[in-house]
Amino acid sequence: MQTFTTARLTLRPWRTEDADAALDIYSRWDVMRFVGVTPRVLEHRDEAAERVERWNAVDDGTHGVWAVVPRTDATQGAHPGEGVPVGSILLKPIPASGTGEPPQPSGDTEIGWHFHPDVWGRGYATEAAAAVLAHAFERGLERVVAVTHADNAASQAVCRRIGMTYRGTTQAYYDTTCELFEVTAPTP
């Protein structure tokens, strides 16, 4: 998986040794309350380690799940520790509704993000998402979507800041009702 750097962040593959950081992020209700049809926090390190393995399996040169790590020279204020991921940014095929188990791809690609509450409000989600969105278009994707829970105003604001357009409510993905945002590749 490709590693990216932005002004303040490094986006890199999750590592086995990052399981504690993943547990710290995904064991928090504040992070998980809008994730999935039935939100659930991680409770054990083994669950986090399995999740890190699954994320690394997503990599196909275009899609992936990156650990977001503040760069040492750009860190402003406290964060969980030097070199420690403070969030995830994902670019992956989004499953279609009504396709059963396991869910089948819809043909669309989703961008998404999850961050530790200690770093909310610093613009990390916007900065990381913009970098991954640029990567998506460089890799030839023509359209990327994001779906949010109706009450997730913070993620909806990130969608708008990275140039996504609100397309209304949809039930096309994840067998649930979501707010749909999309962006298309810039024309040359």
Side-chain angles (χ1 to χ4, degrees), residues 58 63-66 90-95 108-112 145 174:
V58 173
H63 301 96
V65 181
W66 291 266
L90 62 89
L91 185 71
K92 68 179 189 63
I94 187 171
D108 291 329
T109 295
E110 170 188 25
I111 191 168
V145 302
Y174 292 116

Side-chain angles (χ1 to χ4, degrees), residues 21-92:
L23 180 60
D24 188 26
I25 295 165
Y26 290 94
S27 66
R28 297 171 182 275
W29 182 248
D30 286 354
V31 174
M32 298 304 295
R33 66 188 172 138
F34 296 130
V35 178
V37 175
T38 306
R40 181 180 96 63
V41 298
L42 295 185
E43 296 179 5
H44 305 285
R45 188 179 190 283
D46 290 348
E47 291 176 295
E50 289 171 15
R51 187 166 287 194
V52 167
E53 285 181 36
R54 280 198 316 272
W55 289 335
N56 286 332
V58 173
D59 178 25
D60 65 6
T62 300
H63 301 96
V65 181
W66 291 266
V68 180
V69 181
R71 292 176 51 190
T72 304
D73 60 342
T75 302
Q76 299 174 3
H79 63 83
E82 185 175 325
V84 175
V86 297
S88 295
I89 183 82
L90 62 89
L91 185 71
K92 68 179 189 63

Side-chain angles (χ1 to χ4, degrees), residues 2 60-63 91 133-141:
Q2 188 174 352
D60 65 6
T62 300
H63 301 96
L91 185 71
L133 197 56
H135 160 77
F137 294 141
E138 288 168 9
R139 297 291 298 171
L141 293 179

Side-chain angles (χ1 to χ4, degrees), residues 111-128:
I111 191 168
W113 42 84
H114 309 121
F115 282 84
H116 193 288
D118 288 354
V119 300
W120 289 357
R122 296 187 188 186
Y124 287 172
T126 300
E127 189 171 327

